[in-house]
Amino acid sequence: MRPARPTLRALREDLKATLPSAREPLDELDHPILAKAREHFTDDEAGHERIRSIDDEVLFKVKVQRWRAAIWTDEDLPWLIAAGQREDGSPDDFYSALETTARAARARYNADNRQPLSTRTYVGHLLPDQNDHDRYQLEAGVRLVRRLAAVVRELTRGSLQDGHEHAADFPTFRLGLLVRADDGHETYAAVRITGSVPDDLIAVILRHVPGCDPTVWYPEYALPSRPLLPAEQAWSTLMGPKAAAELLNEE
C-alpha cells in the first residue's frame, strides 16, 4: 500500500494547510491525522473500521488526538478525502457531520440528474479529481530522484565491498555500479546504463554517486572486464579514499 495522501480540497478546506511545492510530496506532510493515516494504511496487519453511515463508497475511519478523517482507497493508494475535529462530549461529531453532508449531497445529485441514486448518501464530490491526479504525477519526478539516490548509494556501497558490479532495474533501463578500491589510493568508479534513459536523468544518477565529483565523469567504451554491448552506455571517474572508507563503515 502506498502512503496515504490528502486531496487538495481536504488539504485546504479541512486541514487549513497551504499547498506546498511539488518538491514536498503530499504524502509526507507533517500533520497528526496524515501521519496516523500513513501509519495505519501501510501496516498490512492493521484492521480498518468502515464508516457505516456512508453507503455509496467504502470509507474508513482514522482517529488521532481530536482529529478524525475519512479514507477512500484507490487500488493501493489511500486518499484522505475529509477531516475534522471531535468536539468535547461528542466523539462521533465529525462522522455525524459527514453523514449529514453526504445525505444532502445525495439529495442535490438526485435533483440535478435524471438517473437518481439508490444509496442514502453521496460523497463523489469529495473523491480525488483530475487536479489531484495531476499533482500526484507532478510529484513523480521527486519520488524517482529520491529512489535513484538511495539505489545508487546502495549499489555503490555493495560494489565497493566485493569489487563486483551491482545492478538494479528501473522501468526503462538497468543501472549498474562498479567500484574497485586500491588500498591507500583513489578508487575507480563506473556507472553502466542499459536501455532508454534521458540525458537529464543520467546527470541525476552521476550526481548521486557518493564521493565522486559530478563534473568529471568520462564516457567509457569498455568496462574493466569486457567491452560495452550495443545498448549500453558507461562513464567512469575516481572516488576519493575518504569517501570510500566512509561508505564501507556505514551500518
Side-chain angles (χ1 to χ4, degrees):
M1 189 78 73
R2 286 175 284 176
R5 58 188 288 115
T7 62
L8 298 177
R9 187 214 62 79
L11 178 70
R12 294 189 181 106
E13 298 179 18
D14 298 348
L15 303 182
K16 308 300 182 186
T18 302
L19 179 65
S21 75
R23 294 186 180 89
E24 186 175 0
L26 300 188
D27 54 31
E28 297 179 1
L29 294 181
D30 183 17
H31 190 284
I33 195 66
L34 291 173
K36 186 65 176 181
R38 288 192 295 267
E39 173 191 334
H40 197 59
F41 282 85
T42 53
D43 183 358
D44 293 335
E45 302 299 322
H48 305 311
E49 182 182 358
R50 182 173 177 178
I51 303 175
R52 299 294 178 184
S53 59
I54 304 299
D55 64 347
D56 61 303
E57 296 285 347
V58 176
L59 304 183
F60 297 103
K61 295 181 179 181
V62 173
K63 305 176 184 180
V64 64
Q65 302 168 9
R66 290 181 58 196
W67 281 100
R68 302 291 182 265
I71 303 293
W72 177 82
T73 57
D74 181 9
E75 296 181 350
D76 68 337
L77 177 56
W79 290 88
L80 185 148
I81 65 168
Q85 289 196 340
R86 172 181 63 83
E87 297 297 333
D88 289 339
S90 181
D92 296 321
D93 178 70
F94 165 73
Y95 295 112
S96 296
L98 179 65
E99 179 186 5
T100 299
T101 56
R103 285 180 178 272
R106 181 255 190 193
R108 290 193 300 272
Y109 182 96
N110 284 352
D112 295 338
N113 292 271
R114 295 182 60 184
Q115 185 67 36
L117 296 172
S118 59
T119 56
R120 299 189 307 274
T121 60
Y122 177 67
V123 295
H125 60 296
L126 299 178
L127 301 185
D129 60 17
Q130 189 59 50
N131 290 329
D132 292 299
H133 295 297
D134 289 346
R135 169 68 190 216
Y136 186 81
Q137 290 304 316
L138 191 61
E139 295 172 4
V142 176
R143 290 189 291 271
L144 176 58
V145 169
R146 289 183 178 183
R147 184 188 170 206
L148 273 172
V151 170
V152 165
R153 190 172 191 87
E154 179 184 351
L155 297 180
T156 303
R157 183 168 180 264
S159 182
L160 185 60
Q161 289 175 324
D162 61 21
H164 299 292
E165 181 182 312
H166 286 232
D169 290 314
F170 288 82
T172 62
F173 65 95
R174 182 173 176 80
L175 172 64
L177 264 294
L178 175 63
V179 184
R180 289 186 174 176
D182 184 0
D183 190 25
H185 298 82
E186 291 175 312
T187 299
Y188 170 87
V191 170
R192 174 184 62 85
I193 295 177
T194 306
S196 176
V197 56
D199 290 343
D200 56 348
L201 203 58
I202 293 173
V204 170
I205 293 169
L206 298 181
R207 187 170 68 245
H208 282 91
V209 179
C212 297
D213 186 337
T215 65
V216 293
W217 286 91
Y218 301 101
E220 287 281 11
Y221 301 96
L223 294 173
S225 59
R226 64 172 177 83
L228 294 180
L229 299 175
E232 293 179 327
Q233 304 176 74
W235 301 262
S236 70
T237 191
L238 294 176
M239 178 189 296
K242 181 179 179 181
E246 290 175 351
L247 276 172
L248 286 173
N249 290 330
E250 284 185 355
E251 292 296 331

